[in-house]
Amino acid sequence: MPSYEQLGDLLEPASTVLLTVECQQGVVGPDSALPELAREARSSGALRHVARLVAAAHETGVQVIHAIAERRPDGRGASRNARLFRAAERLPVQQLSGSTAVRIAPPIEVAEEDFVVRRLHGLSPIHGTDVDALLRNLGCRTLIVTGVSANVAIPNAVFDAVNLGYTAVVPADAIAGVPADYTPAVIRNTLALIAAVTTTDEVLGCLKRPRRRA
């Protein structure tokens, strides 16, 4: 983990963006298409920690981007080149555009200034979406990555962020995957090699600390 001073240098509000990944009702809500993942996101406290980070971002002027995965009712444009996509087509809850399933799940609150970026294809919340262009136009240098899942979308987001030149920060208690012991393993063996791994409390402390005037 980076030192508090190092983390504080990374988390300058004007150049930091908070990304929430697939924190939508059809994924982490009570009527999730993936009930095991939803239970883990809630019982581990990850969803609550994401909500705390979003609230702090709103208070401190850090831009928030919510990345949503959805599909058209007719399925046009959706990826089918992996077993995961084909399995998703058969789930009882579909992430259909405009439906309750693709709304941000409580207790996360969406502010008027937040961006909600929706994708119809692929695995990444960044590649092939508007996120990179938004980050560059916002002057982002550091991207805080939160949400689900530690199995697929979170590693995708971190790899993409690093490949595009951003510094990735991952609050380990604000992401979740299944089974429960997989998340710490992927953090230790993969994400820690390329991102600054920290905790929600440490991020909050850095965002809320008094800033020195230039």
Side-chain angles (χ1 to χ4, degrees):
M1 286 190 181
S3 69
Y4 186 77
E5 290 75 19
Q6 291 170 327
L7 188 63
D9 290 340
L10 291 175
L11 296 177
E12 180 64 37
S15 57
T16 297
V17 172
L18 173 65
L19 178 70
T20 76
V21 178
E22 297 181 27
C23 292
Q24 56 203 73
Q25 294 197 38
V27 175
V28 296
D31 298 320
S32 170
L34 304 164
E36 184 183 3
L37 178 59
R39 284 193 298 270
E40 180 59 26
R42 292 178 176 276
S43 65
S44 67
L47 192 61
R48 177 171 53 85
H49 290 314
V50 175
R52 294 173 64 208
L53 288 164
V54 169
H58 293 158
E59 292 171 11
T60 58
V62 169
Q63 180 65 55
V64 179
I65 298 178
H66 304 281
I68 299 298
E70 60 181 47
R71 59 185 285 118
R72 288 167 47 120
D74 61 10
R76 291 175 65 86
S79 301
R80 301 198 74 252
N81 58 334
R83 188 175 71 174
L84 177 64
F85 301 129
R86 296 190 294 273
E89 293 177 352
R90 300 190 296 271
L91 292 174
V93 177
Q94 293 290 306
Q95 315 299 318
L96 299 181
S97 301
S99 70
T100 300
V102 297
R103 294 178 186 170
I104 300 298
I108 299 169
E109 295 188 359
V110 181
E112 186 176 356
E113 63 268 23
D114 294 359
F115 289 102
V116 179
V117 177
R118 304 178 182 278
R119 77 177 194 275
L120 291 170
H121 58 84
L123 298 169
S124 174
I126 298 178
H127 178 73
T129 74
D130 291 337
V131 170
D132 180 39
L134 291 173
L135 294 178
R136 294 190 186 281
N137 291 344
L138 291 164
C140 176
R141 288 172 36 215
T142 301
L143 184 66
I144 306 171
V145 180
T146 66
V148 297
S149 71
N151 305 72
V152 178
I154 295 297
N156 258 265
V158 174
F159 281 122
D160 284 349
V162 173
N163 285 332
L164 290 167
Y166 305 105
T167 297
V169 172
V170 178
D173 54 358
I175 67 172
V178 291
D181 59 359
Y182 182 76
T183 299
V186 81
I187 290 170
R188 180 174 61 253
N189 296 303
T190 301
L191 299 185
L193 303 177
I194 56 173
V197 175
T198 183
T199 67
T200 295
D201 285 343
E202 288 181 338
V203 171
L204 294 178
C206 289
L207 293 182
K208 294 182 178 182
R209 72 178 183 173
R211 299 284 161 176
R212 290 175 297 196
R213 294 183 179 179

